[in-house]
Amino acid sequence: MNARFELTGSQTDIASYPLWAQDMVSSCEDARRQIVSHPMWDAMKTATLDPVTTRNFMVGVWPVIERFPGYMSHSLLKTRYGRSPGDDLARRWLVRNIRVEQNHAEYWLNWAESAGVSREDVLTAEPPKGSQALANWCEEVSRDDSLAASIAATNYAVEGATGDWSQIIYDSQAYAESLPISGRKAGLRWLQLHAAYDDTHPWEALEIVCTILGTNPPVDQIEHIKECVRRSYIGMSITLDRCMDAPALVRTLNEVAA
Ligand code: FE
């Protein structure tokens, strides 16, 4: 029987969640590890990432950053106050956290600028071919899929994996020192906020997904959530691959128009 899930243990301990969620997390672990072990982070943490790839990364990932509150608003539109504890929890959390995400776009631009990629480039350059895998998937799942699926795919999976890699770079003194001293603190702010040790958002998102689905949801629903989480991880890996292997400098829209 499917019973209500209410978090009683520690929010940041996977053992506090229903067995199906523990199983979902472990069965997607391989795809998540692919992101964490991506060569992008090795190059960044040793401060050896070349300027072309740095630019491709800042430009290629930007649409997900810019659009993140938009994904959350799609999720918010699916909630109905009073319908279920999951709806209420999701609604309250989304309303609060869309506001928190507000500044993150600006912090990303600060990071880019500090890393030598101008604001104008990030705002207007054409992303590397194929790099929009993650942005397109997030848009699709947020707009068209269930509330549980969209929160699992974006707020749990994307933010969770982002927490892992942000921490890798934020921990690197070599990386910090590679940024010009003036503006360094502001340049590192985005990483600082997203590094896993400071960010409980993915756990909060997992709690919401479990509150919506309960302790023992139907197998097809579990499989669907797994699939969505996995697609987020794979989409993120593809996005990073395309930013890394794009051969030439991406051209700005202005250059394309000229
Ligand atoms: Fe954020």
Side-chain angles (χ1 to χ4, degrees):
M1 201 197 101
N2 195 3
R4 258 189 194 183
F5 169 73
E6 213 173 316
L7 183 72
T8 47
S10 158
Q11 191 179 46
T12 55
D13 181 355
I14 188 63
S16 307
Y17 295 87
L19 282 177
W20 72 262
Q22 299 184 28
D23 174 59
M24 180 276 284
V25 169
S26 61
S27 81
C28 296
E29 196 53 43
D30 57 326
R32 182 151 166 171
R33 254 199 311 269
Q34 283 227 326
I35 302 169
V36 183
S37 60
H38 199 277
M40 184 74 81
W41 321 128
D42 269 340
M44 257 188 214
K45 77 177 188 209
T46 52
T48 54
L49 192 68
D50 65 88
V52 171
T53 313
T54 301
R55 183 174 184 233
N56 285 340
F57 171 78
M58 291 301 175
V59 171
V61 178
W62 166 249
V64 176
I65 308 299
E66 191 279 329
R67 204 53 193 139
F68 214 81
Y71 306 146
M72 292 162 79
S73 350
H74 276 308
S75 292
L76 177 61
L77 286 171
K78 297 173 204 165
T79 66
R80 289 288 174 276
Y81 191 74
R83 183 163 57 185
S84 73
D87 274 70
D88 293 355
L89 189 63
R91 185 179 183 274
R92 172 188 294 271
W93 188 83
L94 287 162
V95 166
R96 282 194 185 151
N97 284 288
I98 287 170
R99 190 168 182 278
V100 172
E101 286 295 327
Q102 165 58 27
N103 294 324
H104 294 186
E106 192 57 32
Y107 297 154
W108 184 270
L109 296 176
N110 291 340
W111 182 19
E113 234 161 7
S114 188
V117 185
S118 75
R119 192 184 177 91
E120 146 109 46
D121 255 1
V122 178
L123 296 178
T124 62
E126 195 183 348
K129 271 208 174 30
S131 67
Q132 297 312 289
L134 182 61
N136 294 340
W137 161 243
C138 288
E139 195 69 42
E140 181 192 323
V141 70
S142 307
R143 195 189 49 220
D144 301 334
D145 215 314
S146 66
L147 179 62
S150 57
I151 292 183
T154 59
N155 301 106
Y156 168 71
V158 174
E159 285 211 81
T162 299
D164 296 344
W165 63 254
S166 298
Q167 185 163 334
I168 296 171
I169 310 166
Y170 190 69
D171 280 346
S172 160
Q173 202 181 337
Y175 184 75
E177 286 171 357
S178 74
L179 304 179
I181 185 99
S182 91
R184 185 181 291 169
K185 201 165 184 278
L188 291 169
R189 183 89 178 119
W190 190 93
L191 283 170
Q192 183 187 16
L193 286 173
H194 290 87
Y197 37 61
D198 269 350
D199 194 0
T200 53
H201 284 171
W203 290 106
E204 291 162 14
L206 187 61
E207 183 189 349
I208 293 169
V209 171
C210 293
T211 308
I212 296 169
L213 292 179
T215 55
N216 193 20
V219 174
D220 61 324
Q221 284 186 27
I222 299 174
E223 287 306 311
H224 184 60
I225 296 296
K226 263 189 212 172
E227 173 71 15
C228 290
V229 167
R230 183 169 276 279
R231 283 184 72 173
S232 290
Y233 293 154
I234 291 169
M236 191 179 280
S237 284
I238 295 172
T239 290
L240 294 168
D241 289 346
R242 296 294 87 81
C243 290
M244 201 115 194
D245 62 19
L249 274 173
V250 285
R251 291 179 301 167
T252 66
L253 291 178
N254 297 344
E255 282 162 7
V256 171

